[in-house]
Amino acid sequence: MTKRLVMAWIVGWMALGTLAQGGLIRTAAAAEVSGFRVWTDPDKTRAVLDLSGRAEYRLFTLKNPDRVVIDLNGSELQHSLDFQQEHAGIITGVRHGAPDEGTLRVVFDLSEAGKLKSFMLDPTGQYGHRLVIDLYPETGEARAVPVRQYADMRNSERDVVVAIDAGHGGEDPGALGPRRTREKDVVLAIAKELSKAIDNLPGMRAVLIRDGDYYIPHRDRYEKARQHRADLFVSIHADAFHNPRVAGGSVFILSNRGASSEFARRLADSENRSDLIGGVTLKDKDDMLASVLLDLSQSATLEASSLVAQSVFSSMREVGKTHKNRVEAANFLVLKSPDVPSILVETAFISNPAEEARLKDPKWQRKMAGAIARGVQDYFVFSPPPGTWIAANRKPVRYRVMAGDTLGGIADRYRVTVYSLRQANGLKGDIIRVGTELLIPTT
């Protein structure tokens, strides 16, 4: 037998060994189900099976009673599938069995029939292989808020709308602190405090993008803000680093590189042509005009993002340490809204033991939320959107000088000149005393 024939025989013998029951090809050893998680968001229930490797599966529904059946080929289970009912949505129970040798069957009992979507995910970060099953209630009403024409929003003295996004959530815990504090939990607590602080400010209203423990894809987050016609998008996070001594908060805006890539994606994606960019649809525009309109919208959005980020950063410096002495720029996907000014706030380093403790402290959470809210308010007092209550009821702004303040620094924060600051307060020089109340010119 020639060498070539021997190799062909070996390959053919190996191929026969990969045939599984039912004619399916099994290309790997049996996958063990190592974990099970369930989360519910306003639109769906998501169930996740953690696997030791990729597995072929079959999924179908049954009636009377309603249930979902998942048959995993060549898989096994070493422990029970426990879950918390409070997060389980329309899933009322989970059980498993073996309908035949080599098949693991998992059954979700449902409170009502649901529409299904499933997909397998490859390992990423701390997660291994996962089978994800999304269940959408058939009786649920559509929760999407339609994007309205700009003319519909021109009612007089409307509130300024601030969309607040708590990062991570659900199956994505974010960073973990030395004491296993989960980023998703502390940033949700801060986001809720920020929502309260914004709602307590005259002429302002907060919208929580995530109000519970569930995951929302990044682009869906800023699209929700656009659907609510938000004037500002604020994403809340808690940073992490391998060096536990690194500390301090940060404020980020979208980098120019990130803006350029999103610009190209929106022009290339025909679905985005139906979007409203700054109140104007691109659907009926030719490529050149669409490009110009999108460029104008993104440039204005980036400029506004930079200004509000500087205002929030200055306010945060009054309540604690910042990681750097300036606003930073990065290619964060969640900041890529073309027409809603967006910032990302890293409140502290959860990897630093002292800051991890602060992140869990409700008093500190309120303090940080208050600082962010003041920075947001300062921005809108000087740049109120037309037709808002703030624009119609602008009042003099006063600032009490704190230790370390300089006249130039205060002027930069409020985007006024040092000259106008001196004129408004009758100052002949740049010396200011701690505790002095300065009038900030608004024109």
Side-chain angles (χ1 to χ4, degrees):
M1 187 179 292
T2 67
K3 185 175 181 180
R4 180 174 295 178
L5 288 175
V6 171
M7 290 300 296
W9 180 82
I10 292 174
V11 170
W13 179 82
M14 291 177 66
L16 286 174
T18 65
L19 291 177
Q21 293 180 355
L24 297 176
I25 302 296
R26 185 183 305 162
T27 57
E32 180 182 345
V33 177
S34 57
F36 173 66
R37 293 162 284 137
V38 178
W39 282 274
T40 301
D41 65 31
D43 298 317
K44 66 182 180 299
T45 297
R46 168 165 288 187
V48 180
L49 290 168
D50 293 308
L51 305 172
S52 61
R54 292 191 69 85
E56 293 171 351
Y57 69 94
R58 187 166 66 101
L59 183 146
F60 56 94
T61 60
L62 295 173
K63 295 282 188 181
N64 300 318
D66 293 312
R67 56 203 186 275
V68 174
V69 180
I70 306 106
D71 284 345
L72 291 154
N73 189 49
S75 298
E76 56 189 28
L77 179 66
Q78 301 295 336
H79 50 77
S80 61
L81 297 173
D82 298 323
F83 73 107
Q84 294 182 330
Q85 184 63 54
E86 62 178 315
H87 300 306
I90 65 174
I91 299 177
T92 60
V94 180
R95 46 201 169 89
H96 68 277
D100 53 56
E101 186 177 356
T103 299
L104 170 67
R105 171 166 290 179
V106 179
V107 179
F108 299 159
D109 295 312
L110 306 179
S111 60
E112 61 180 282
K115 299 177 182 178
L116 295 180
K117 178 182 178 182
S118 68
F119 48 93
M120 188 76 70
L121 293 177
D122 290 325
T124 179
Q126 62 183 317
Y127 293 110
H129 294 277
R130 289 147 290 157
L131 173 59
V132 180
I133 303 100
D134 287 339
L135 299 96
Y136 299 84
E138 289 185 348
T139 58
E141 296 181 358
R143 296 175 179 267
V145 179
V147 177
R148 291 176 286 171
Q149 294 290 338
Y150 182 71
D152 297 334
M153 300 302 298
R154 290 187 294 183
N155 55 308
S156 62
E157 299 190 13
R158 67 172 180 84
D159 288 336
V160 166
V161 179
V162 180
I164 303 168
D165 169 47
H168 307 285
E171 65 188 52
D172 176 14
L176 296 176
R179 295 185 177 275
R180 310 304 293 173
T181 302
R182 299 183 301 188
E183 181 182 1
K184 70 172 184 177
D185 297 329
V186 294
V187 298
L188 179 59
I190 294 171
K192 288 182 175 179
E193 291 295 336
L194 178 57
S195 177
K196 294 176 187 176
I198 292 293
D199 284 340
N200 286 332
L201 295 173
M204 299 185 71
R205 177 170 61 89
V207 172
L208 280 170
I209 299 299
R210 174 172 77 87
D211 60 4
D213 187 14
Y214 49 86
Y215 180 76
I216 302 175
H218 289 106
R219 283 198 169 93
D220 289 355
R221 295 179 189 241
Y222 69 68
E223 287 301 337
K224 282 178 177 285
R226 297 185 70 228
Q227 290 166 3
H228 283 281
R229 303 301 293 176
D231 298 285
L232 175 67
F233 177 89
V234 181
S235 190
I236 305 296
H237 289 257
D239 217 338
F241 197 62
H242 59 81
N243 183 347
R245 291 174 296 188
V246 175
S250 304
V251 181
F252 287 86
I253 60 172
L254 182 64
S255 68
N256 288 328
R257 181 178 179 181
S260 298
S261 63
E262 186 66 8
F263 181 95
R265 188 188 76 86
R266 286 191 168 268
L267 284 179
D269 187 350
S270 60
E271 290 183 4
N272 284 309
R273 289 302 182 95
S274 61
D275 271 358
L276 292 176
I277 307 297
V280 178
T281 180
L282 301 180
K283 189 174 183 180
D284 57 348
K285 308 297 188 296
D286 61 35
D287 289 347
M288 179 61 72
L289 182 54
S291 177
V292 170
L293 291 173
L294 180 56
D295 183 53
L296 289 172
S297 178
Q298 283 199 315
S299 296
T301 299
L302 286 174
E303 181 180 2
S305 299
S306 179
L307 292 173
V308 71
Q310 185 58 54
S311 183
V312 169
F313 182 74
S314 297
S315 186
M316 286 173 57
R317 297 189 78 174
E318 296 173 8
V319 300
K321 174 183 173 63
T322 55
H323 179 52
K324 293 186 178 180
N325 61 358
R326 67 183 185 279
V327 171
E328 300 174 72
N331 191 14
F332 288 118
L333 180 58
V334 78
L335 298 180
K336 290 187 175 183
S337 175
D339 52 1
V340 180
S342 305
I343 65 172
L344 185 145
V345 179
E346 297 280 8
T347 52
F349 275 84
I350 200 170
S351 52
N352 180 299
E355 294 206 335
E356 178 188 24
R358 284 196 283 272
L359 283 164
K360 295 170 61 178
D361 180 5
K363 291 183 179 179
W364 188 90
Q365 291 170 357
R366 287 191 291 273
K367 186 177 181 181
M368 174 56 67
I372 298 171
R374 286 193 300 276
V376 169
Q377 183 186 37
D378 286 347
Y379 167 77
F380 282 115
V381 164
F382 287 90
S383 303
T388 59
W389 184 92
I390 295 178
N393 295 271
R394 297 177 74 182
K395 295 180 179 179
V397 177
R398 297 185 181 277
Y399 175 77
R400 190 173 297 279
V401 177
M402 302 176 64
D405 279 339
T406 64
L407 202 63
I410 297 171
D412 286 342
R413 172 176 176 176
Y414 289 100
R415 305 189 303 283
V416 298
T417 65
V418 173
Y419 174 79
S420 65
L421 202 52
R422 289 200 203 101
Q423 289 292 104
N425 292 276
L427 300 175
K428 296 183 178 179
D430 293 344
I431 298 176
I432 49 177
R433 300 180 185 277
V434 174
T436 301
E437 194 172 74
L438 297 179
L439 173 65
I440 309 297
T442 56
T443 57

